[in-house]
Amino acid sequence: MMNPLFFLCGQETIPVQADLVYELQDDQVTMRFAGIHNLPINDHYLVLQFPTQLEHDAKILGDGFQMLSQTGGQVSSPQDIGRCPDNNASYRLYSEKAKKRFYNYLVIEQSDGYSLFGFTSCYRFAGYFEIHQHQGEMNVMAFLDGEHTHPQDWASNKMEAVTVIQADSLDALYELYAVKIQQQHPMRAGVKQSAPVGWCSWYAYYADVTEQNVLDNLEVMCNEQPEFEWVLLDDGYQAFMGDWLSPSNKFPNGIESLLAAIKSKGKKPAIWIAPFIAQPESEIFKNHPDWFVRHGNGELLKAEDITYGGWRCTPWYILDTSKQAVQIHLTEVIRTMREEWGVELFKLDANYWGSLKGVRVQSGITGIEAYRLGMQAIINGAGEALILGCNAPMWPSLGLVDAMRVSDDVERKAERFEQIAKETFYRSWQHRKLWQIDPDCITLISLPNQGAERKDYEFHRNVILAAGGLALSGDPLPELNNFAKKTWKNLLSRHRLTQDSAQFKSLSNRHCTLRLNHQHELHCVFNYDDEPMEHTLVADQPSIWRDFWTGEQLNEEPAQMLLLTLESGLSSRAILVSI
């Protein structure tokens, strides 16, 4: 039986699969499997075709399956934004030679406005788009990754939902899209709470962090930075990856005692955990080898067999979260940290690895379903604690986290600051609509083995200023200089006024605005090119323009426009206009 042709937001929409039943509801196409065969559904399962007119130089934005992958550029020349595309030699989600995939959503900016093709759900199958030439015209094609599962093994015949949205502005486009996603995946309560402000141990001490390091920074928070409320103990406290309740010898008094000391000073303890992986030296791996994902031949699956193997303590083995005993284990670990240790925020890292494809005890389950089961087990133990996702599969995490890292790890160098800016700005629309965004920690001083120039730190702080979201220092607080202290004072004044993200008018990510209150509006301007850039700011009425950081007045008399010249290379300005 042939399915009928649809029109989504005026866009011709062609159902492709005879085995699927397509239904149009609330400007979304939902799909369910109705075939009588049991053939496996492969990873390139075409479900919808969208004939469309695309300008050759139209700007595009496509998300990635995992945090480190996004695609920008133009229709004719896509460009990887993240350091680790889904199809590179490390991640290997699909072949480097295959046509570029745009996971989750594809945004197209043309002279007449904006279009978005997007999946609004991700319960069982990853969805992605490709752009194809077909019969002389461009077509956007929507695919599902069936993970080669057999329909008769599925718990449900329900597939995923797709929408098409057109709008005159980016903010209107994203607002409409977010509403449709929320219908499928309601937000967690923490999405609308105040964004955490505080300190994280990782970028100051990395895996060498000690108990004394944390106590030294806690003292500075209490005496010099009282607005820093959260203390996030990152990777390095545990004996082994997987044994999260067993501390390393760098924490002689145990983690529970340290977190109690944090609470006694009026601060909120947070902790890092990579819940879905374990290293071979861990007790959990030694005692429960039957808890881990396997290859089809029955051998244990190491992450490096099929994807990036991990950044330390490898090889990583993957917990089979379709197994009830594993779910109970995860719940109990998190519950212990929450109820006995007093943890109020969990930073869940390496989440992507929980979604890897492999053989699990539950037949027919996809990696995404297994990941969501594992996340639900964590939620069951976390109570009212906040959950921050990191290195995560993006759309599979919908509705399961309060906050989400949207950029790569910060590193004190210009190239990484630029990368983080683009990654964060492309995802800043998600802030307080899907989750709170985390642009990663703010680093403002150099370390002996890692440093940048002052102008690069100035660019970095303008990115954080524009983005909003979580605000955690990654510097050793006892070493903060005057530049860093003044930066934090101004950043926190912005956070007190509003925690929204500034809005960009174009996918070029050069100019964004944010209304701070009824009297003041913030303009942030960014240059990424090797040539100087001129940009004109415009207000609704003659106004006073000031540099956000110094307070310097930039015009003698009220003016409706301000002309800025940004130097070549990575440069930026933050301008405050009094309305």
Side-chain angles (χ1 to χ4, degrees):
M1 182 182 73
M2 292 300 296
N3 287 282
L5 181 73
F6 291 109
F7 283 89
L8 276 174
C9 198
Q11 168 65 57
E12 182 181 352
T13 304
I14 304 173
V16 176
Q17 295 292 341
D19 289 326
L20 298 185
V21 173
Y22 299 80
E23 295 182 356
L24 182 62
Q25 299 176 345
D26 298 323
D27 292 323
Q28 300 176 68
V29 173
T30 61
M31 296 170 279
R32 58 185 173 87
F33 187 81
I36 59 174
H37 67 77
N38 194 36
L39 299 174
I41 306 301
N42 65 26
D43 62 353
H44 197 241
Y45 187 65
L46 178 64
V47 292
L48 289 167
Q49 179 178 340
F50 304 96
T52 186
Q53 299 294 321
L54 298 180
E55 298 167 1
H56 182 72
D57 59 350
K59 293 186 178 70
I60 60 172
L61 169 62
D63 204 359
F65 179 78
Q66 43 88 25
M67 181 191 81
L68 295 174
S69 178
Q70 290 184 84
T71 304
Q74 298 177 331
V75 169
S76 57
S77 55
Q79 296 177 353
D80 293 322
I81 302 302
R83 183 167 51 96
C84 300
D86 291 321
N87 66 334
N88 76 348
S90 292
Y91 276 80
R92 293 174 269 161
L93 269 73
Y94 64 103
S95 171
E96 291 181 276
K97 298 178 181 179
K99 185 169 284 291
K100 193 67 177 177
R101 294 182 182 181
F102 310 99
Y103 280 89
N104 311 329
Y105 57 90
L106 170 64
V107 177
I108 301 172
E109 177 183 337
Q110 303 196 88
S111 56
D112 61 348
Y114 298 86
S115 300
L116 181 149
F117 301 84
F119 283 85
T120 56
S121 71
C122 188
Y123 288 107
R124 302 170 59 220
F125 304 108
Y128 59 90
F129 300 92
E130 296 176 358
I131 299 175
H132 289 254
Q133 285 274 3
H134 181 68
Q135 295 181 349
E137 62 181 357
M138 303 293 282
N139 280 253
V140 174
M141 306 289 209
F143 296 85
L144 290 175
D145 181 349
E147 298 193 20
H148 298 275
T149 55
H150 295 263
Q152 290 180 16
D153 293 333
W154 295 348
S156 165
N157 64 352
K158 186 178 179 181
M159 310 293 269
E160 306 297 345
V162 179
T163 192
V164 177
I165 301 170
Q166 296 177 346
D168 294 330
S169 66
L170 269 178
D171 55 330
L173 190 83
Y174 288 139
E175 186 69 35
L176 291 168
Y177 186 37
V179 168
K180 296 187 186 306
I181 293 173
Q182 291 164 11
Q183 293 170 357
Q184 302 278 354
H185 296 278
M187 293 182 294
R188 282 176 54 83
V191 176
K192 295 292 187 179
Q193 293 182 18
S194 294
V197 174
W199 175 78
C200 171
S201 66
W202 180 251
Y203 299 103
Y205 308 104
Y206 294 93
D208 295 326
V209 63
T210 68
E211 179 180 289
Q212 192 59 50
N213 292 149
V214 178
L215 293 173
D216 291 345
N217 282 269
L218 176 63
E219 183 177 356
V220 175
M221 291 175 64
C222 293
N223 298 329
E224 301 178 32
Q225 302 285 158
E227 291 186 276
F228 282 15
E229 187 177 21
W230 292 85
V231 180
L232 172 51
L233 177 59
D234 212 291
D235 184 11
Y237 70 87
Q238 72 282 358
F240 296 106
M241 295 279 196
D243 293 343
W244 309 112
L245 300 180
S246 301
S248 75
N249 56 16
K250 295 174 297 179
F251 292 81
N253 296 304
I255 307 304
E256 184 176 359
S257 173
L258 176 61
L259 300 190
I262 292 170
K263 289 181 76 79
S264 72
K265 297 290 187 178
K267 303 302 181 182
K268 295 182 176 181
I271 202 164
W272 175 96
I273 178 174
F276 304 123
I277 65 168
Q279 65 185 97
E281 296 85 357
S282 65
E283 291 300 314
I284 186 175
F285 181 79
K286 292 176 181 177
N287 296 334
H288 302 284
D290 58 318
W291 283 10
F292 292 85
V293 177
R294 296 179 178 269
H295 288 287
N297 63 6
E299 293 182 1
L300 285 166
L301 184 149
K302 299 191 294 289
E304 64 197 46
D305 295 340
I306 60 171
T307 191
Y308 175 52
W311 49 88
R312 71 185 202 94
C313 302
T314 57
W316 287 357
Y317 294 91
I318 314 304
L319 282 168
D320 179 358
T321 49
S322 75
K323 195 177 183 69
Q324 188 174 24
V326 173
Q327 296 171 23
I328 293 171
H329 163 76
L330 289 173
T331 298
E332 289 307 309
V333 168
I334 299 297
R335 180 176 289 134
T336 297
M337 289 181 164
R338 170 66 178 143
E339 296 180 359
E340 298 182 21
W341 293 12
V343 172
E344 297 184 47
L345 182 153
F346 293 93
K347 177 183 177 180
L348 309 181
D349 205 350
N351 280 22
Y352 156 71
W353 284 261
S355 68
L356 295 187
K357 301 172 184 178
V359 176
R360 293 172 169 84
V361 68
Q362 187 172 327
S363 179
I365 194 170
T366 65
I368 289 171
E369 286 177 292
Y371 169 71
R372 292 184 66 86
L373 285 173
M375 288 295 291
Q376 187 58 54
I378 289 169
I379 289 169
N380 293 344
E384 297 181 357
L386 296 176
I387 294 178
L388 163 63
C390 184
N391 271 294
M394 299 300 291
W395 256 219
S397 300
L398 287 170
L400 298 174
V401 298
D402 300 288
M404 176 66 88
R405 263 280 293 282
V406 292
S407 71
D408 202 346
D409 287 10
V410 69
E411 193 172 331
R412 296 165 176 86
K413 62 180 184 180
E415 296 83 1
R416 187 59 60 85
F417 287 153
E418 177 180 359
Q419 177 193 336
I420 287 174
K422 293 176 180 177
E423 290 174 324
T424 299
F425 292 157
Y426 279 138
R427 288 176 173 148
S428 62
W429 68 269
Q430 300 166 10
H431 186 47
R432 296 189 178 278
K433 294 182 175 69
L434 309 182
W435 36 57
Q436 295 198 41
I437 64 167
D438 175 17
D440 204 16
C441 292
I442 304 162
T443 55
L444 299 166
I445 64 173
S446 296
L447 302 180
N449 62 343
Q450 187 186 117
E453 298 180 27
R454 172 62 67 87
K455 66 182 182 68
D456 299 324
Y457 289 122
E458 290 174 348
F459 179 90
H460 177 55
R461 70 177 181 177
N462 280 335
V463 172
I464 303 299
L465 175 69
L470 275 64
L472 300 175
S473 173
D475 290 322
L477 298 182
E479 300 175 26
L480 291 186
N481 55 26
N482 287 333
F483 169 78
K485 291 176 181 178
K486 290 179 180 178
T487 292
W488 271 106
K489 181 180 178 181
N490 285 15
L491 281 176
L492 294 177
S493 70
R494 176 264 206 251
H495 267 251
R496 284 191 293 271
L497 292 173
T498 176
Q499 294 179 6
D500 291 340
S501 291
Q503 294 183 339
F504 285 89
K505 307 301 182 186
S506 166
L507 293 178
S508 64
N509 287 340
R510 295 190 180 276
H511 176 215
C512 60
T513 58
L514 177 67
R515 182 61 64 92
L516 297 176
N517 54 28
H518 69 282
Q519 290 182 310
H520 298 96
E521 186 172 54
L522 176 69
H523 291 253
C524 293
V525 184
F526 300 90
N527 186 22
Y528 313 95
D529 300 334
D530 293 333
E531 300 292 333
M533 183 184 87
E534 287 192 349
H535 193 86
T536 301
L537 303 182
V538 180
D540 293 335
Q541 60 192 42
S543 304
I544 299 298
W545 303 82
R546 289 186 172 87
D547 184 279
F548 175 84
W549 299 105
T550 67
E552 175 191 359
Q553 186 169 322
L554 303 176
N555 55 330
E556 295 182 3
E557 300 291 337
Q560 200 163 350
M561 295 189 299
L562 178 71
L563 176 64
L564 293 176
T565 300
L566 272 64
E567 64 183 40
S568 61
L570 211 58
S571 58
S572 63
R573 291 291 301 272
I575 307 297
L576 193 65
V577 57
S578 299
I579 301 171

